[in-house]
Amino acid sequence: MITHLLAVDGGGTKTALRLTPLAPLTTDPFFSLTSGPSSLTQQGSAAIATIKDAIEYCLEQCHLKAKNVSIVIGVAGAGNPKLKQQLQNALADYPYCIVTTDAHISLLGANNGKAVNTIAIGTGAVAMTLTAESDTELFGGWGFPIGDEAGGAWLGQQAIRVLINSIETLETSPLTGYLIEHFGRDRKTLLQWLKMAKAADFAQLAPIVIEYAEQGCRNSQAILDEAHRHIDNLITKCCKNNELDIAFLGSLGAYYQAHLKTHWQQRVIDAKGNALDGATLLAKQQVELINE
């Protein structure tokens, strides 16, 4: 008998898990946990281990068996069928487990499962539409470094490019001053960092880019000017064929929402929930289907 709903949100920066009773007496989670990154694209087998370990730890701490839990995992990279299947295979011991993308559960959470457009910008950047018929459309979200323009990892990557140009030309700015202090000017050291750096490492530089842009740094402003163009293009693709509301999500969502072009502003709503809310909703729907 299923007694609990387990929601997992896995991305390039962190993994969030939340367990709630199927019939909760309060709105508080029964158990929650945050661990390291689990993007299937970026972390691969390590991501699978992170997710599996988090679920096992949760059930162990709460004295639950796999058969008692409806699980929904929304994870970056699950749009790749091969990677998705690898995660599903690793979780074969859990009879009621759905694997989908982190964008999908964010979409469901944003408007309590009702039709909406979402622009989710954190480590990566992706837009999705949920129609009144419960169909979904996906735009962007191709993954770093080939896609996810304007996401945190992309912002950090552009900052490193500015650093490289500064090392070679000796041109400076507040942003390059910070980066030189952080990374130095040594080519070998920077190349070694680049060899090991993941999306989450680049994304850690995103707040620095924004901070210096607000202080007038021309390099940072140029990066963000390009980022805003990418976001406007993403919104245009997602929203041009519908009149649905737009909800911004993710750690950088509020920043981009504040700098949105005027003609989009009138369609913006505050998100009613987050990715874990969306995963919990889908987990509850799974129970309802099982009980039919």
Side-chain angles (χ1 to χ4, degrees), residues 119 121 210 247-260 265:
I119 314 297
I121 316 154
I210 293 172
F248 279 77
L249 309 170
S251 57
L252 294 175
Y255 169 78
Y256 284 110
Q257 179 180 330
H259 294 80
L260 202 59
Q265 289 283 1

Side-chain angles (χ1 to χ4, degrees), residues 90-149:
L91 298 171
D93 292 338
Y94 298 94
Y96 310 115
C97 183
I98 295 173
V99 175
T100 185
T101 65
D102 55 341
H104 184 205
I105 60 173
S106 294
L107 180 66
L108 294 174
N111 200 26
N112 294 331
K114 298 177 181 178
V116 72
N117 297 301
T118 59
I119 314 297
I121 316 154
T123 302
V126 62
M128 288 191 77
T129 299
L130 178 66
T131 70
E133 294 75 30
S134 297
D135 295 324
T136 61
E137 289 187 271
L138 176 68
F139 305 88
W142 290 99
F144 180 81
I146 193 63
D148 285 356
E149 295 90 348

